[in-house]
Amino acid sequence: MSKNDTVTLTDNATGKQVELPILRPTCGSPTIDISSLPKELGYFTYDPGFVATASCHSNITYLDGAKGVLEYRGYPIEQLAEKSSFIEVCYLLFHGDLPDKDQLDEFDDIITTHTMLHEAVKRFYSGFRRDAHPMATMVGVVGALSAFYHHGEDIHDPKHRMITAHRLIAKMPTIAAWSYRYTNGQPMVYPKNSLSFSANFLHMMFSMPTEEYTPDPLFVKALDLLLILHADHEQNASTSTVRLAGSSGANPFAALSAGIASLWGPAHGGANEAVIRMLQDIVDSDNDVAHYVARAKDKSDRFRLMGFGHRVYKNFDPRAVIIRKTCMNLLAELGTNNKYQALFDTAVELEKIALSDEYFVSRNLYPNVDFYSGIILLAMGIPLNMFTVIFAMARTVGWISHWNEMIEDDDFRIGRPRQLYLGAETREYVDIDKR
Ligand code: CMC
């Protein structure tokens, strides 16, 4: 190892030095391997929120936050959004390369024939309150699948892992749609094998046993695009949760359920729902955009501009650019009198004001993937509380691909962060009558 491939760390108290190797990625920032620190110098490192820490190495997705780059397995998101389909992106993320025609047909066929749920799973739904948030239902039902796929499952067998991935990708739309149907007191609609992945989801959401239903091709296309854009995003909170939960060797359905719980939060996937609530409040307040911008800047107010800002993107979120354009085109197709135009116009105005405001400019806060996606979903007839569920449906392939990668990694070991303990020093137990 040459001197240029290391960083020398000196402990000023003792003068002791340690050479830490620099790991060079295919793309992106070099990374210092600090794993020898505790042994060499007796130190841990402190990095709340993992701002500067790579928790693993990965071959799946690459982000360059400064340049607004997102690539799945090396393919730019703009190209995938324009030319690919969600099912092809699932193959790409899980297997690592684009499929040829036969591979794609076979994969599509496998996913299509795994969409049914065990009939007993249907009964789980009736245990939930009718007004349960569908994300709560999803956490429960996906976790419950571990009771159906556990015995005989060997996570160290690549074939078993692949079947698990097929099951999860395929069953998630059924689980998602059924949580909506249950809330509405409507019959659960079974998947239809003649339909594409996205068309089938709309069919399970909206068709009635009493009538013929043909999913609107415009909506099918828009949904497929949203699924592509949400399919993976390297080591975000929910993916890291799946990795950590799965690192103990836990059942993958249970690990995915932990990921869904993490995604639900408004700082993560729950933001798409929060954006629409915020935009609607602004519209209802006679478009007092300036008031909301002022609130977002006021440090004594917990309010934030939802759909703004990102831990990694410090220039623009490439997904937001694509979604904004799609949203604009979709609303134009629906005609100028549609009721979502007001939300879109408000979003555009908010973006304009925020992007010329010193507070947002100096902090590199830009619209993220969630800023415009909700308007598309609303226009498709998807209710607000299903937005994050659809995000989870899309991200499932990312989660399971990372879980798979983690298990086949030679460095695979249980995830176990350290801590900086600031609690009480050792003290003697005092009997209750003497406290
Ligand atoms: N509105 C107002 N101020 C903001 C916002 C916002 N949306 N986002 C960040 N800031 C400020 C924050 O107050 C802080 O200011 P200061 O330096 O004065 O203390 C500075 O910008 C840095 O913010 P941070 O919270 O330290 O940044 P982070 O990387 O920890 O958080 C974030 C990233 C996405 C959680 C945050 O920007 C946020 O809460 N955004 C709103 C929620 C949202 O849209 N989430 C979706 C994220 S993208 C999709 C996904 O991951 O699922």
Side-chain angles (χ1 to χ4, degrees):
M1 200 183 330
S2 89
K3 207 68 180 147
N4 287 345
D5 289 327
T6 62
V7 160
T8 307
L9 191 71
T10 308
D11 182 346
N12 292 334
T14 61
K16 206 170 161 193
Q17 289 195 323
V18 60
E19 299 270 300
L20 300 171
I22 299 174
L23 310 175
R24 307 272 172 200
T26 325
C27 318
S29 301
T31 301
I32 302 168
D33 179 352
I34 51 142
S35 54
S36 65
L37 260 189
K39 197 164 151 231
E40 297 295 331
L41 292 185
Y43 290 119
F44 295 138
T45 52
Y46 181 62
D47 180 22
F50 297 97
V51 174
T53 300
S55 58
C56 60
H57 57 82
S58 179
N59 296 345
I60 301 176
T61 290
Y62 173 65
L63 301 187
D64 182 330
K67 296 192 186 130
V69 168
L70 167 60
E71 293 171 358
Y72 296 161
R73 302 283 191 182
Y75 294 100
I77 193 67
E78 292 79 5
Q79 292 181 23
L80 294 170
E82 191 193 331
K83 299 182 178 163
S84 190
S85 64
F86 178 64
I87 209 75
E88 184 177 65
V89 163
C90 286
Y91 185 99
L92 172 69
L93 285 168
F94 189 79
H95 291 289
D97 280 309
L98 285 171
D100 63 24
K101 173 94 178 60
D102 289 346
Q103 288 167 325
L104 182 61
D105 288 347
E106 190 195 3
F107 184 72
D108 195 11
D109 210 45
I110 292 170
I111 297 301
T112 305
T113 50
H114 273 89
T115 48
M116 294 278 284
L117 296 174
H118 191 292
E119 274 298 289
V121 174
K122 209 169 162 188
R123 294 200 287 277
F124 275 83
Y125 286 86
S126 50
F128 292 104
R129 283 170 57 128
R130 284 266 179 220
D131 60 355
H133 195 291
M135 279 301 276
T137 310
M138 199 179 213
V139 169
V141 174
V142 173
L145 284 188
S146 58
F148 294 81
Y149 304 109
H150 190 65
H151 301 297
E153 299 290 309
D154 178 4
I155 61 165
H156 298 288
D157 182 333
K159 217 164 158 198
H160 285 205
R161 290 202 300 276
M162 191 171 71
I163 294 169
T164 296
H166 294 157
R167 284 180 174 144
L168 272 159
I169 295 166
K171 292 180 198 310
M172 213 54 112
T174 317
I175 294 170
W178 284 12
S179 57
Y180 170 69
R181 305 293 294 210
Y182 173 72
T183 308
N184 287 315
Q186 293 171 347
M188 314 304 206
V189 175
Y190 288 104
K192 205 171 182 176
N193 285 4
S194 58
L195 297 174
S196 70
F197 188 93
S198 294
N200 181 46
F201 174 68
L202 294 176
H203 156 75
M204 290 190 287
M205 281 286 288
F206 298 121
S207 72
M208 288 294 165
T210 46
E211 282 170 35
E212 280 303 312
Y213 172 81
T214 310
D216 185 329
L218 204 65
F219 293 165
V220 172
K221 194 162 171 246
L223 178 62
D224 214 62
L225 176 81
L226 287 182
L227 297 181
I228 291 173
L229 298 177
H230 287 81
D232 193 42
H233 215 230
E234 50 117 311
Q235 313 309 323
N236 55 84
S238 54
T239 303
S240 300
T241 302
V242 171
R243 277 185 178 260
L244 197 57
S247 76
S248 66
N251 179 292
F253 292 88
L256 257 283
S257 165
I260 296 168
S262 167
L263 183 77
W264 190 4
H268 194 5
N272 50 15
E273 191 180 329
V275 168
I276 297 297
R277 292 190 202 285
M278 176 186 76
L279 292 176
Q280 194 60 59
D281 282 351
I282 300 178
V283 171
D284 293 345
S285 72
D286 284 335
N287 260 339
D288 195 355
V289 176
H291 168 70
Y292 285 84
V293 171
R295 279 192 66 193
K297 289 156 58 176
D298 179 358
K299 291 291 171 197
S300 64
D301 189 334
R302 288 169 63 92
F303 175 79
R304 285 186 165 200
L305 277 196
M306 298 313 288
F308 254 76
H310 197 275
R311 172 63 63 78
V312 183
Y313 294 121
K314 298 298 172 197
N315 188 331
F316 66 93
D317 180 336
R319 302 167 301 174
V321 176
I322 300 168
I323 292 176
R324 185 186 198 272
K325 194 166 150 216
T326 307
C327 186
M328 205 169 73
N329 293 343
L330 185 76
L331 295 183
E333 295 262 6
L334 294 180
T336 42
N337 276 339
N338 72 76
K339 56 185 174 183
Y340 313 106
Q341 192 67 44
L343 291 176
F344 182 75
D345 293 343
T346 302
V348 170
E349 199 188 334
L350 190 59
E351 178 181 353
K352 209 166 103 198
I353 295 183
L355 294 189
S356 56
D357 188 300
E358 196 276 331
Y359 174 95
F360 293 91
V361 174
S362 63
R363 288 171 180 75
N364 300 312
L365 300 171
Y366 293 85
N368 59 47
V369 66
D370 293 318
F371 195 60
Y372 288 102
S373 61
I375 303 175
I376 299 181
L377 293 173
L378 269 192
M380 287 164 56
I382 308 272
L384 260 190
N385 63 5
M386 283 297 289
F387 289 9
T388 317
V389 167
I390 291 175
F391 192 156
M393 212 168 92
R395 189 54 60 84
T396 294
V397 64
W399 290 330
I400 203 67
S401 301
H402 281 271
W403 170 80
N404 184 52
E405 182 182 69
M406 173 185 74
I407 293 187
E408 66 188 14
D409 188 340
D410 290 341
D411 289 345
F412 171 48
R413 57 202 299 208
I414 188 167
R416 204 320 186 170
R418 307 308 292 240
Q419 66 168 3
L420 173 67
Y421 176 70
L422 298 174
E425 289 186 33
T426 311
R427 46 186 170 162
E428 292 297 319
Y429 180 84
V430 181
D431 290 332
I432 195 156
D433 53 335
K434 298 203 180 90
R435 286 176 220 160

